[in-house]
Amino acid sequence: MATLGDIAVSGALNLLGAFIFLLAFAVLRIQPFNDRVYFPKWYLKGLRSSASHSGAFVRRIVNLDFRSYTRFLNWMPEALKMPEPELIDHAGLDSAVYLRIYLMGLKIFVPIAFLAWAILVPVNYTNDTLEAAQLASNVTASDIDKLSISNVPLKSQRFWAHIVMAYAFTFWTCYVLLKEYEKVASMRLQFLSSEGRRPDQFTVLVRNVPPDPDESVSELVEHFFLVNHPHHYLIHQVVCNANKLASLVKKKKSKQNWLDYYQLKYDRNPSQKPLKKTGFLGLWGEKVDAIDHHKSEIKKLSEEIEEERKKVLKDPKSIMPAAFVSFKTRWGAAVCAQTQQSRNPTLWLTEWAPEPRDVYWENLAIPYMSLSVRRLIIGVAFFFLTFFFMIPIASVQALASIEGIEKKAPFLKPIIEIKFIKSVIQGFLPGIALKLFLIFLPTILMIMSKFEGFLSISSLERRSATRYYIFLIINVFLGSILAGAAFEQLNSFINQSANEIPKTIGVAVPLKATFFITYIMVDGWAGIAGEVLMLKPLILYHLKNFFLVKTEKDREEAMDPGSLGFNTGEPRIQLYFLLGLVYATVTPVLLPFIIIFFAFAYVVFRHQIINVYNQEYESGAAFWPDVHGRVITALVISQLALLGLMSTKEAAQSAPFLIALPVLTIWFHRFCNGRHKSAFVKYPLQEAMMKDTLERSSSLNFNFKSYLQNAYIHPVFKGGDDDCAEYLSEKLETDSDSVLVPTVRQSQRNTPAIRSRSSSPALSDEDRTVEPESMKLTSQHLIAWHIAMT
């Protein structure tokens, strides 16, 4: 078990590591040749030009202004200067609200830490329970553990202080959560009302379109919405399965990169032509001219792409029973997205379309009816992953200790017993071992979420974040506590009667705080400092810049600004909320380490959001209900943990008063969701109508059809050298010119000819309201349509 000296050594090592990372960052960020690595967001916005293209050669590479080296921490106050409204305009609401999670942590834990240190630490420390236990039953403890609730004797009246503080901490946390929920909901509604025109505001995704032997999916969709949304339907884009085509295009791009690399290599040394082996990964096989080989491969792939493109656009089997349907107004889209379209609730399913850059196109090809089976499979797989992962984690934790190393490598015992080495192992090794063990987990969970069939990157990240959080609770929190209690108190378990074991566990669980302190310093101090250094993007950029870059466009593509990574970052923050709330009443000494994490991470990620990250999507802070729910979960776990701990302390008079806390907390959660959650899942019709009215008065002749027509075309058809976009645009124009879709169904022959939006190149005020005579649908028409549909 780590002692106070071990914690001090671990803190010194992590502070030294963080200082080295920050110093390296301060030097590297001001070098002109690293400008695109540490300020890519400004380049992508076109507000910064390359510093390495002007001036003397040395100045284009190295910063010779020595005064700038003395201000190596000036980036911290600079990161705090930008006000929140300007930050929202600069980086989006998602990024601004993500930063509020760190601020919420500070708002919650600073007052809690003040109260805990002022009241609970003296109450815990002025006892000698652990000293007596060490003498009587070999229970291990350190000086830090004497500041915890474990040092309070059984049946003590001092437990009333912990119960009162538990109520105070709960009420304060709930108050902060309520205020933040109100604030973020208000920010979201204001953002949605003030943001500019976006295609997803007018578009819904329709899934599970019923098959029809007489009509194509496109014709069926058009007929359905002309009949059921005659005043507001504008245009639609059917979903096609272009996954194979996208794979071929990606493969061609990879080959092109290799061709550029070998061409640059040959240009630098014309006397020697580059060669490559044709076998697996270029490790064996016949040696051939690398440039000619990749040119022939690219030519072959171009032919395959052309063939696959024609197949996707002309083969009916490539068309999925889904479509992006766009409307003339936000109000029309809101009504369609938030209502049931058919008497059969499993057909014509509508939801808000993600913004175009948020769409995860591969999953649009998954049949809707297979989603339930896929999610059941992943649910079972996640269950086994979570619980079987506990075995290797417990083993690693056991080995990353003095006893574990001495058992597996007894010849190292003389070295391990050296005081400094022992402190490093106990105060540093367990935390770094756990962090390294979890390094591949987010990737595994993201793959599982993709298999489930979610249609947007934001929903994939939120699903992956939920699973990651559950995993952290079970394996990192509960697993570490239970494994720690079992291993550290093994001798005590063996040599005492069975009815004494629960009491020993009650004493041992708070003692695991020392492990979590080391983990916080490794992950939350040195780890956050490593985030700002961006070592991996730095190396990759310079490799690409040297081997692949020929033009300014290539140099832009070589930049890797990354994004917030909600699926990895938010669950990690929630683990700190969990640790802080659980140990606030149990071992308050942990709270200052958590406060340092929240403060340091807030500054670092604010800097990254302003200068580096280029967010992949904008969801309007739709993730906040998940954030709120996970903090509530942590609060309930902390209350149950304290209740269980009190039961081992024989506090029969005071423990029942804790039962009300989880009940009140769950009621509070339901109240908050009932009051504010709808703002994150629904779009008010009042807001939609207001925005439409304002837009009609300011943009009388805006061409909505041309604006929305290509918004949801698969990215593989946009740009490139295979003329896909041009071909598809011509096809769409041809399709949209038909005023009435031909049909062989008698019920649809009787459908009145409704003037299409495509008949006018621009939308005027008259176009926004369709003529009454052409829109009169009799009850017989509607009955005939619904009979045909069912």
Side-chain angles (χ1 to χ4, degrees):
M1 177 178 293
T3 64
L4 188 61
D6 300 334
I7 297 296
V9 171
S10 177
L13 289 174
N14 284 287
L15 285 174
L16 178 62
F19 178 77
I20 292 173
F21 287 149
L22 293 177
L23 187 62
F25 166 69
V27 173
L28 291 172
R29 70 185 287 270
I30 60 176
Q31 307 307 319
F33 65 95
N34 290 330
D35 207 50
R36 287 181 178 269
V37 178
Y38 293 110
F39 300 96
K41 193 178 190 75
W42 299 99
Y43 281 94
L44 294 174
K45 284 178 170 287
L47 300 176
R48 195 179 182 103
S49 58
S50 180
S52 59
H53 287 172
S54 59
F57 176 76
V58 177
R59 291 184 179 274
R60 284 184 282 167
I61 299 176
V62 181
N63 186 350
L64 299 180
D65 182 8
F66 295 102
R67 290 177 297 177
S68 62
Y69 291 92
T70 62
R71 303 187 297 268
F72 70 97
L73 289 179
N74 68 337
W75 62 271
M76 289 187 174
E78 289 292 330
L80 299 174
K81 284 183 179 179
M82 183 179 287
E84 189 172 67
E86 186 178 340
L87 181 65
I88 293 173
D89 292 337
H90 176 70
L93 185 65
D94 281 343
S95 299
V97 171
Y98 184 85
L99 288 174
R100 292 193 71 89
I101 305 176
Y102 294 105
L103 284 180
M104 185 172 68
L106 292 173
K107 291 177 182 178
I108 290 175
F109 288 114
V110 170
I112 286 178
F114 177 78
L115 282 176
W117 276 82
I119 298 174
L120 295 183
V121 170
V123 168
N124 296 335
Y125 188 71
T126 54
N127 294 283
D128 56 359
T129 303
L130 287 178
E131 291 182 5
Q134 284 178 301
L135 295 174
S137 57
N138 283 332
V139 172
T140 56
S142 68
D143 293 334
I144 290 179
D145 301 318
K146 294 176 183 178
L147 302 175
S148 74
I149 197 173
S150 299
N151 203 32
V152 180
L154 302 179
K155 301 180 181 180
S156 174
Q157 293 297 314
R158 297 189 178 203
F159 288 123
W160 283 105
H162 298 85
I163 292 174
V164 172
M165 287 297 100
Y167 271 89
F169 297 163
T170 297
F171 289 156
W172 173 249
T173 303
C174 290
Y175 173 78
V176 174
L177 285 173
L178 178 62
K179 290 300 180 182
E180 286 298 313
Y181 217 149
E182 290 177 351
K183 177 65 176 176
V184 175
S186 175
M187 291 171 65
R188 173 179 167 83
L189 291 175
Q190 183 178 356
F191 177 78
L192 293 177
S193 64
S194 62
E195 70 174 337
R197 187 186 299 112
R198 293 196 326 190
D200 54 295
Q201 297 170 352
F202 301 87
T203 306
V204 300
L205 174 62
V206 184
R207 307 187 72 188
N208 215 24
V209 177
D212 190 293
D214 299 320
E215 290 187 327
S216 66
V217 173
S218 180
E219 294 168 340
L220 199 60
V221 169
E222 183 167 6
H223 269 137
F224 182 86
F225 284 95
L226 283 173
V227 170
N228 293 285
H229 297 269
H231 295 276
H232 300 282
Y233 167 72
L234 178 63
I235 199 171
H236 72 276
Q237 172 64 49
V238 294
V239 173
C240 57
N241 184 357
N243 289 349
K244 184 178 178 181
L245 179 60
S247 176
L248 289 172
V249 171
K250 184 179 179 181
K251 188 176 179 181
K252 179 184 175 182
K253 184 177 180 181
S254 175
K255 296 288 185 183
Q256 185 65 49
N257 286 338
W258 278 110
L259 176 61
D260 292 342
Y261 163 71
Y262 285 117
Q263 189 66 54
L264 280 173
K265 187 177 180 180
Y266 178 67
D267 292 342
R268 289 167 182 165
N269 185 14
S271 62
Q272 185 177 0
K273 274 214 164 190
L275 303 175
K276 78 174 296 292
K277 295 180 180 179
T278 57
F280 178 71
L281 295 177
L283 298 177
W284 57 74
E286 180 186 358
K287 283 188 177 182
V288 296
D289 186 304
I291 295 176
D292 293 340
H293 173 76
H294 281 95
K295 282 182 178 178
S296 63
E297 289 288 315
I298 290 172
K299 183 179 179 181
K300 188 187 303 181
L301 284 170
S302 297
E303 294 173 355
E304 292 181 27
I305 288 171
E306 178 66 19
E307 185 178 346
E308 182 64 21
R309 175 185 64 79
K310 292 178 181 178
K311 178 182 176 183
V312 169
L313 295 176
K314 296 180 180 179
D315 187 359
K317 294 181 180 179
S318 297
I319 305 300
M320 306 303 297
F324 290 99
V325 180
S326 297
F327 294 81
K328 304 169 189 174
T329 63
R330 296 173 181 84
W331 191 92
V335 170
C336 182
Q338 297 167 179
T339 56
Q340 182 173 316
Q341 303 301 309
S342 168
R343 68 173 65 178
N344 186 340
T346 64
L347 299 178
W348 297 101
L349 303 176
T350 57
E351 60 185 276
W352 280 107
E355 64 168 321
R357 59 178 178 163
D358 189 23
V359 177
Y360 188 70
W361 294 95
E362 290 182 21
N363 282 358
L364 285 172
I366 299 175
Y368 178 81
M369 300 308 293
S370 68
L371 295 181
S372 298
V373 177
R374 284 170 169 263
R375 289 170 188 176
L376 176 62
I377 293 171
I378 292 300
V380 174
F382 178 70
F383 173 83
F384 285 106
L385 173 69
T386 301
F387 286 96
F388 281 102
F389 218 91
M390 191 179 291
I391 299 173
I393 283 184
S395 302
V396 169
Q397 291 298 304
L399 289 175
S401 63
I402 297 294
E403 295 79 6
I405 295 175
E406 288 180 349
K407 184 177 180 180
K408 294 297 181 181
F411 59 89
L412 294 176
K413 186 173 181 179
I415 300 175
I416 293 173
E417 291 301 325
I418 298 173
K419 188 174 181 180
F420 177 75
I421 301 297
K422 188 175 182 179
S423 296
V424 170
I425 293 173
Q426 290 188 321
F428 185 75
L429 188 59
I432 195 69
L434 179 59
K435 184 169 176 62
L436 291 175
F437 212 77
L438 297 174
I439 197 168
F440 296 110
L441 182 64
T443 303
I444 297 172
L445 295 178
M446 181 57 77
I447 292 172
M448 296 172 74
S449 298
K450 290 177 179 178
F451 181 81
E452 286 185 281
F454 291 97
L455 300 179
S456 64
I457 300 172
S458 57
S459 60
L460 285 171
E461 290 194 347
R462 290 200 295 271
R463 182 68 162 188
S464 182
T466 299
R467 290 228 163 93
Y468 195 13
Y469 180 63
I470 295 171
F471 187 93
L472 290 177
I473 290 177
I474 294 175
N475 283 286
V476 176
F477 180 69
L478 295 177
S480 296
I481 285 179
L482 296 177
F487 283 114
E488 292 174 3
Q489 308 304 330
L490 185 60
N491 186 48
S492 180
F493 289 170
I494 295 173
N495 296 292
Q496 65 180 230
S497 60
N499 60 351
E500 294 293 319
I501 292 178
K503 297 179 183 178
T504 306
I505 293 178
V507 174
V509 167
L511 307 184
K512 201 60 182 175
T514 54
F515 163 73
F516 287 119
I517 288 174
T518 63
Y519 179 77
I520 291 169
M521 288 189 291
V522 170
D523 180 68
W525 295 7
I528 295 298
E531 175 71 26
V532 78
L533 181 60
M534 296 179 60
L535 191 60
K536 179 182 174 183
L538 176 69
I539 295 172
L540 290 178
Y541 170 76
H542 285 297
L543 287 176
K544 291 178 181 178
N545 193 39
F546 183 78
F547 291 112
L548 298 176
V549 170
K550 294 187 294 184
T551 64
E552 281 298 314
K553 184 179 179 181
D554 294 337
R555 189 168 283 108
E556 276 195 16
E557 291 180 354
M559 292 189 299
D560 182 21
S563 61
L564 279 172
F566 182 83
N567 60 312
T568 57
E570 194 269 346
R572 181 169 69 171
I573 303 172
Q574 293 296 342
L575 178 63
Y576 291 103
F577 276 103
L578 176 63
L579 295 177
L581 292 171
V582 167
Y583 282 99
T585 52
V586 175
T587 310
V589 72
L590 182 138
L591 292 175
F593 296 91
I594 289 180
I595 291 172
I596 292 173
F597 160 75
F598 277 115
F600 184 40
Y602 174 73
V603 175
V604 166
F605 281 99
R606 209 172 199 275
H607 171 272
Q608 298 295 88
I609 284 170
I610 292 172
N611 297 301
V612 181
Y613 295 149
N614 185 41
Q615 197 65 3
E616 293 181 88
Y617 57 84
E618 177 57 62
S619 69
F623 56 80
W624 190 260
D626 295 336
V627 174
H628 177 90
R630 287 197 259 276
V631 178
I632 290 290
T633 301
L635 194 57
V636 172
I637 290 174
S638 70
Q639 295 158 357
L640 295 177
L642 182 61
L643 181 60
L645 186 57
M646 287 293 187
S647 67
T648 67
K649 292 289 189 176
E650 300 180 10
Q653 294 181 346
S654 54
F657 287 91
L658 289 171
I659 297 175
L661 275 181
V663 177
L664 291 173
T665 304
I666 293 171
W667 172 85
F668 168 77
H669 177 56
R670 292 173 62 88
F671 166 77
C672 287
N673 278 341
R675 177 69 180 84
H676 298 295
K677 189 175 181 179
S678 61
F680 296 88
V681 295
K682 297 178 181 177
Y683 187 44
L685 295 181
Q686 182 185 25
E687 293 286 333
M689 181 61 74
M690 187 184 306
K691 202 164 176 61
D692 288 333
T693 304
L694 290 173
E695 190 166 78
R696 273 198 296 268
S697 63
S698 60
S699 305
L700 295 177
N701 296 318
F702 184 77
N703 192 336
F704 275 85
K705 180 170 175 273
S706 62
Y707 174 68
L708 296 169
Q709 183 170 350
N710 297 330
Y712 285 94
I713 292 177
H714 197 293
V716 79
F717 295 117
K718 294 181 179 180
D721 55 357
D722 56 2
D723 298 327
C724 289
E726 183 181 351
Y727 182 91
L728 192 62
S729 296
E730 291 174 0
K731 185 177 185 298
L732 285 171
E733 286 294 332
T734 303
D735 291 345
S736 64
D737 284 341
S738 58
V739 175
L740 182 65
V741 178
T743 179
V744 297
R745 279 222 227 101
Q746 184 66 31
S747 62
Q748 293 175 16
R749 285 194 190 119
N750 294 331
T751 303
I754 301 174
R755 190 165 64 88
S756 173
R757 297 297 309 186
S758 59
S759 59
S760 174
L763 291 179
S764 64
D765 288 338
E766 294 179 356
D767 289 330
R768 291 180 180 271
T769 56
V770 185
E771 292 81 0
E773 290 301 321
S774 65
M775 294 309 305
K776 288 181 180 177
L777 298 179
T778 65
S779 59
Q780 291 87 347
H781 292 145
L782 295 176
I783 292 172
W785 170 262
H786 287 296
I787 289 174
M789 287 295 96
T790 56

